[in-house]
Amino acid sequence: MAEARSVARGGAPAAIDRSQRAGHLGLLVLIAVLLLGAFGGIGLLSTERAQPLVLGLLAILSMAGVFCVFAIAVGALRFAGSVAGNDLTKAIADGARDGLLVAEESGRVLYANERYLALAKADGLTGLRVPERLLAGGPDVSEAVYRLAQAAREKRAAGEEIRLSPALEGGREFGWYRVRVSPVPRPGRAATLWTIADVTHERERQENVFQELQHAIDYLDHAPAGFFSVGPDGSVVYMNATLAAWLDHDLARVGPGGLRLTDIVPSSVAGLLTADAGKAGEARTDIMDLDLTRRGGQPLPVRLYHRVAFGADGRPGPSRTLALNRSAAGESGGEGQRAAEVRFARFFNTTPLAIATLDSAHRLVRSNPSFLRLFPSRPRGQDDPGPAILDQVIPADRQRLEAAVVAAAAGQSETGPIDVTIAGEGGRQARLWLSPVEDSDPGSPGGDGESAILYGLDTTEQRQLEIQFAQAQKMQAVGQLAGGVAHDFNNVLQAIIGYSDLLLASHRPTDPSFQDIMQIKQNANRAAGLVRQLLAFSRRQTLRPEVVKLGDTLSDLSLLLKRLLGERVQLELRQGRDLWTVKADVNQLEQVVINLAVNARDAMPDGGTVAITTCNVSEAEARRLDLAGMPPADYVRISVGDTGTGIPPEILDKIFEPFFTTKELGKGTGLGLSTVFGIVKQSGGFIYVDSTPGQGTSFAIYLPRHEAEPEAEPEVRPDAANAPKARAADLTGQGTILLVEDEDAVRAVNSRALAARGYTVLEASSGIEAMQIMEGRDRPVDLVVSDVVMPEMDGPTLLGELRKRHPDIRFVFVSGYAEDAFAKHLPEGETFNFLPKPFSLKQLVETVKQTIGR
């Protein structure tokens, strides 16, 4: 078949045109054969018969020839192979800027212009791809091409915009193309016209315009002035974020059917902002001082610059209204600017945020007082360049800070936050941010060579609180573990001490095994002392607080301290005047002072001085001291200081941790200071340490001041283990005792001791078993001695159940935990006695006899 090709222009591939149909040579041969056959047949006839036939044939051929001449003249008939369309139209299609391709439904290409061949990188039919194969890409592209192909099959027009990566033409990472399909009316088979237009530059221009529009909207939204627009019907069609924040309105309400003018201005002045009509083409600006209305009803004084433009018909359009805070802009001219400068200077100099500017050499150009309080350096002077900011931080932080300063000077806006430690004493810490400075050329008007702005916050206290919080969490976790271990260990020690007492009661001092049993008991008591230290550290020991006069207590304790310190260490006791009273456990408070004094003695192997001082600390002084974690209040301070070797800084934060010690093996348990810490905290106080290596250490204890209440002090329940009491000469007794204990060994030894004194003992291994024993008796027992922590039913629950049936029953709790650990779970005002484990059998008998005898 014949194929028409346009002539290439400028090296571009020639267009392909296969829409023209060539003539049929066979038809021409057939006509010639028929004519020759007709003349041959006439030649066989006689002249008379052939003459009419020849004349008729010639007449027919003459008429056909004349008809063809007229048909060719009027254009109704063309020769085969001639151009099927207007030459000008074809030239326009061949050189069009958009790629054009006409294809039949079967995929046969009828026409492709030069632009399409360039997009397809094809020279003629070789390598020519139809649009469905040419436009290949991701899922979005495939879906768009499928929709276009479907429209072509349905003989309807459609269009899509797709993004191809890489672009069809080389040299670009991606390209945007507008692809259209439309049916081509023609006889015979249906065809579709594909149009591919490169719209990359158009899309980029649209995106640039959109970004500029977004920037303009962002600038307008966050401008330091309010802006809104009101429609002729009184609706607020636009409001920037600044004004919305002033008025406390949600921007989502702005728009059709949302916020109305009467929602932001009083209805009495709403008419001032809505004009009925004006001159055609007029633009009118009014300046008004009035109050806008916040969402809560509060007034906002503003000055409005209200501009309304009128159309050709005189109707008003949406307004352009600028709102300025009247108090900030009420002054005019230079006075307003001067007031603004003074106001800015006041804000700059009084803000707690440290602000400074740096030059290219990282030196200060100017700063506010907060910055000078944070950093010791001062801004550069005329002759003194001043120190670089990098010299004001420790060497470990200089590299990070220098990189941030360089980045800010280069124009990067995200250069923080940076945590640094300020060089010098105290180890203060700060968090810094940096931002670039615009127009920092020193040759520009007002330029000082500033390259970066530095913002800083003092985070020293915050970091200290974080460290203390982490330390408190660690101490709490260790305390919980220590308390649990102490409880279980106390049960073991209780059995050891009890059976030791039974053995000692059955042996005379002259027996060979008597001393061995005494050694067992003494070591058990020593272990019990360690357990009490664990309970003190975990704040689970039993405290008997009472009103204490520290002056008298420390004076009585000084004799014991002198013996403990020895001859080479001198004790100085300096008491403050009119010391306030405190409420604490005297025995535990004395233990605190003794532990600190013994530690001070050990820190002075060559002798020295231990100074114990007391004084009152008022609430104002406590606020001035600003000690971390201690709220301002009235306190009594006890200071224990020495002139020893001091504590190295690297271990200062660990001294209150349990089992931490710097002493040699066997010379310390590491529980002394942790016990002090626990007792002070359980008493509601605070403890701080200050130490200088080579000069000494000082511990300061702050106990809250106790103010006597008008009512009498509550009576303290006697404690058989700690509180002194008159001892009965005869410890024998009578009565029925219910002994509830889940530890078999402890229950057995306690039962034997009470039975030996004349009591009838009923034993129960749990609260459930104790309830069963009580339900099987006609009359209640005289006393219940119960452990606190037991399976199935604990001691407090057992007490509650027995009180329902026997309200007057007497109760004694024994436990390895502190009394406060379970007393809070009992009803308020509940009466009971408490005996902490481990205890001797004599203490048990004394407590039982005293409780029954009430």
Side-chain angles (χ1 to χ4, degrees):
M1 299 179 68
E3 177 181 307
R5 299 290 299 273
S6 299
V7 179
R9 296 185 298 273
I16 299 174
D17 189 355
R18 304 171 65 187
S19 61
Q20 305 170 23
R21 292 181 295 174
H24 295 280
L25 184 59
L27 182 59
L28 180 60
V29 173
L30 178 61
I31 294 173
V33 170
L34 291 176
L35 290 175
L36 291 175
F39 282 108
I42 293 173
L44 298 177
L45 299 176
S46 61
T47 304
E48 291 80 10
R49 297 181 64 183
Q51 186 175 4
L53 294 175
V54 171
L55 291 175
L57 182 60
L58 291 175
I60 293 173
L61 292 175
S62 299
M63 292 177 64
V66 173
F67 176 81
C68 289
V69 170
F70 281 101
I72 292 173
V74 299
L77 181 64
R78 292 186 176 89
F79 292 107
S82 62
V83 179
N86 187 285
D87 292 339
L88 179 60
T89 304
K90 178 172 173 51
I92 292 174
D94 290 345
R97 298 179 57 184
D98 299 339
L100 304 176
L101 181 136
V102 179
E104 294 179 343
E105 188 173 2
S106 62
R108 179 175 178 269
V109 176
L110 299 180
Y111 175 79
N113 71 346
E114 300 170 5
R115 178 59 177 162
Y116 185 88
L117 294 176
L119 293 174
K121 299 182 180 64
D123 185 10
L125 289 174
T126 304
L128 181 63
R129 292 175 292 172
V130 294
E132 293 168 276
R133 294 180 56 193
L134 178 64
L135 305 175
D140 294 341
V141 175
S142 299
E143 291 177 5
V145 173
Y146 173 78
R147 290 192 295 268
L148 292 172
Q150 186 67 21
R153 286 188 289 271
E154 296 173 358
K155 299 180 179 58
R156 57 183 176 85
E160 297 278 352
E161 283 192 5
I162 60 176
R163 183 182 186 274
L164 295 179
S165 179
L168 293 177
E169 293 181 308
R172 289 184 300 170
E173 183 179 354
F174 66 92
W176 282 94
Y177 300 92
R178 184 180 294 119
V179 185
R180 296 188 180 93
V181 295
S182 57
V184 177
R186 63 189 294 268
R189 299 178 181 177
T192 301
L193 171 63
W194 290 76
T195 305
I196 302 178
D198 188 343
V199 294
T200 304
H201 295 295
E202 179 182 341
R203 287 297 297 263
E204 290 177 349
R205 185 165 57 253
Q206 292 176 355
E207 290 179 0
N208 292 337
V209 172
F210 179 78
Q211 290 179 357
E212 292 174 0
L213 180 61
Q214 287 294 106
H215 290 161
I217 295 174
D218 183 71
Y219 298 152
L220 180 60
D221 265 346
H222 299 90
F227 184 85
F228 67 97
S229 178
V230 181
D233 59 347
S235 62
V236 180
V237 297
Y238 177 79
M239 179 184 294
N240 71 341
T242 300
L243 184 59
W246 288 355
L247 301 180
D248 194 23
H249 278 296
D250 187 358
L251 285 176
R253 293 190 56 198
V254 178
L259 206 61
R260 304 282 302 177
L261 179 61
T262 52
D263 294 328
I264 63 173
V265 298
S267 56
S268 58
V269 299
L272 296 176
L273 303 179
T274 53
D276 294 332
K279 296 180 180 180
E282 178 188 10
R284 190 168 63 203
T285 302
D286 297 324
I287 301 176
M288 312 174 193
D289 288 320
L290 49 83
D291 288 348
L292 298 182
T293 305
R294 294 187 176 94
R295 187 175 62 171
Q298 302 87 355
L300 175 69
V302 295
R303 168 164 289 184
L304 297 184
Y305 292 82
H306 183 67
R307 181 180 179 86
V308 179
F310 297 88
D313 56 354
R315 294 182 179 179
S319 73
R320 273 68 171 163
T321 307
L322 181 68
L324 301 178
N325 188 293
R326 186 167 59 184
S327 60
E331 301 174 1
S332 61
E335 290 299 322
Q337 182 177 0
R338 188 176 303 110
E341 292 174 353
V342 172
R343 188 179 301 109
F344 173 78
R346 187 173 71 251
F347 293 163
F348 179 78
N349 291 324
T350 59
T351 177
L353 181 68
I355 307 175
T357 56
L358 307 178
D359 61 11
S360 57
H362 309 161
R363 302 182 186 275
L364 295 181
V365 178
R366 57 174 58 90
S367 65
N368 66 345
S370 296
F371 191 92
L372 298 181
R373 288 193 296 269
L374 183 60
F375 289 89
S377 59
R378 303 191 65 83
R380 69 185 186 188
Q382 183 175 2
D383 299 325
D384 180 18
I389 190 63
L390 301 178
D391 298 332
Q392 308 304 309
V393 300
I394 63 174
D397 295 332
R398 291 180 186 176
Q399 185 175 1
R400 292 188 298 115
L401 181 57
E402 182 178 12
V405 174
V406 172
Q412 297 183 15
S413 58
E414 299 294 335
T415 55
I418 303 170
D419 293 320
V420 299
T421 301
I422 302 174
E425 297 182 359
R428 293 187 303 133
Q429 295 178 321
R431 175 164 292 181
L432 306 179
W433 294 264
L434 289 111
S435 62
V437 175
E438 300 293 336
D439 299 328
S440 59
D441 184 5
S444 63
D448 293 320
E450 301 169 338
S451 62
I453 303 176
L454 179 65
Y455 306 92
L457 280 177
D458 191 345
T459 58
T460 305
E461 183 177 357
Q462 177 184 349
R463 291 293 298 165
Q464 290 177 349
L465 290 176
E466 290 175 355
I467 294 173
Q468 290 179 359
F469 179 74
Q471 179 71 6
Q473 284 187 317
K474 181 171 66 174
M475 298 284 274
Q476 181 181 5
V478 177
Q480 291 176 347
L481 176 62
V485 171
H487 170 265
D488 294 335
F489 199 48
N490 272 333
N491 282 329
V492 177
L493 292 177
Q494 179 62 55
I496 296 175
I497 293 175
Y499 282 109
S500 297
D501 286 341
L502 290 178
L503 290 174
L504 290 174
S506 60
H507 288 73
R508 297 180 179 180
T510 57
D511 290 345
S513 58
F514 186 89
Q515 293 300 324
D516 297 334
I517 300 172
M518 284 295 298
Q519 286 292 329
I520 294 174
K521 183 177 180 179
Q522 288 175 2
N523 282 278
N525 288 329
R526 183 183 175 187
L530 294 176
V531 173
R532 281 192 295 271
Q533 287 183 309
L534 286 175
L535 288 173
F537 163 72
S538 61
R539 308 177 204 175
R540 296 185 179 184
Q541 63 175 339
T542 301
L543 295 183
R544 298 299 182 189
E546 58 184 286
V547 179
V548 179
K549 295 182 178 179
L550 286 177
D552 298 339
T553 301
L554 293 179
S555 296
D556 296 338
L557 190 61
S558 61
L559 296 177
L560 175 61
L561 291 176
K562 289 180 180 179
R563 290 196 299 267
L564 290 175
L565 295 178
E567 298 179 354
R568 304 181 65 179
V569 177
Q570 182 179 359
L571 175 65
E572 293 182 359
L573 181 61
R574 297 188 289 268
Q575 300 272 27
R577 293 185 178 181
D578 301 325
L579 285 179
W580 297 323
T581 57
V582 297
K583 195 169 185 179
D585 189 314
V586 176
N587 295 328
Q588 298 296 334
L589 186 60
E590 290 177 349
Q591 186 65 39
V592 167
V593 177
I594 291 173
N595 283 354
L596 293 177
V598 171
N599 280 347
R601 179 200 64 188
D602 296 339
M604 298 181 293
D606 299 328
T609 302
V610 173
I612 301 178
T613 59
T614 58
C615 66
N616 294 330
V617 178
S618 64
E619 181 178 352
E621 187 177 358
R623 184 176 289 105
R624 181 183 59 81
L625 292 174
D626 194 22
L627 295 173
M630 189 179 79
D634 291 337
Y635 296 94
V636 178
R637 180 172 61 199
I638 308 172
S639 298
V640 180
D642 60 62
T643 57
T645 56
I647 303 174
E650 60 270 15
I651 67 172
L652 194 60
D653 295 333
K654 302 179 181 179
I655 60 174
F656 292 119
E657 295 182 3
F659 310 110
F660 178 83
T661 180
T662 58
K663 298 179 181 179
E664 297 177 5
L665 184 64
K667 293 187 177 181
T669 62
L671 290 174
L673 289 178
S674 62
T675 301
V676 169
F677 181 87
I679 295 173
V680 171
K681 288 297 182 181
Q682 194 173 0
S683 302
F686 304 88
I687 183 169
Y688 299 92
V689 59
D690 183 20
S691 180
T692 302
Q695 298 182 13
T697 303
S698 176
F699 288 86
I701 300 171
Y702 293 85
L703 296 176
R705 176 186 180 182
H706 173 72
E707 295 181 358
E709 299 177 357
E711 59 270 18
E713 291 290 331
E715 181 181 358
V716 180
R717 291 189 298 270
D719 187 349
N722 297 319
K725 62 182 74 65
R727 298 181 179 179
D730 183 11
L731 295 180
T732 58
Q734 58 182 356
T736 303
I737 299 175
L738 175 59
L739 181 62
V740 188
E741 175 63 59
D742 60 325
E743 289 286 341
D744 296 337
V746 177
R747 186 176 66 253
V749 69
N750 292 342
S751 176
R752 287 178 58 183
L754 293 173
R757 297 293 182 175
Y759 297 101
T760 301
V761 181
L762 305 176
E763 297 183 26
S765 60
S766 66
I768 299 296
E769 187 177 346
M771 291 294 299
Q772 295 173 352
I773 293 175
M774 292 294 292
E775 289 174 359
R777 290 180 56 83
D778 296 331
R779 56 188 301 273
V781 297
D782 298 300
L783 177 66
V784 177
V785 179
S786 173
D787 194 8
V788 173
V789 180
M790 296 182 297
E792 298 180 344
M793 178 184 291
D794 59 10
T797 304
L798 175 62
L799 175 60
E801 293 296 327
L802 291 180
R803 286 286 190 219
K804 297 177 182 178
R805 299 171 175 82
H806 311 287
D808 299 329
I809 194 169
R810 295 180 176 88
F811 229 88
V812 174
F813 279 120
V814 294
S815 177
Y817 284 124
E819 177 183 347
D820 295 340
F822 65 90
K824 59 185 178 182
H825 299 295
L826 294 172
E828 188 175 356
E830 185 66 69
T831 58
F832 62 90
N833 210 337
F834 178 72
L835 189 60
K837 293 180 181 180
F839 49 81
S840 65
L841 296 182
K842 184 178 181 181
Q843 290 174 327
L844 173 62
V845 174
E846 287 178 346
T847 303
V848 168
K849 187 175 182 65
Q850 181 185 9
T851 306
I852 292 179
R854 286 182 180 178

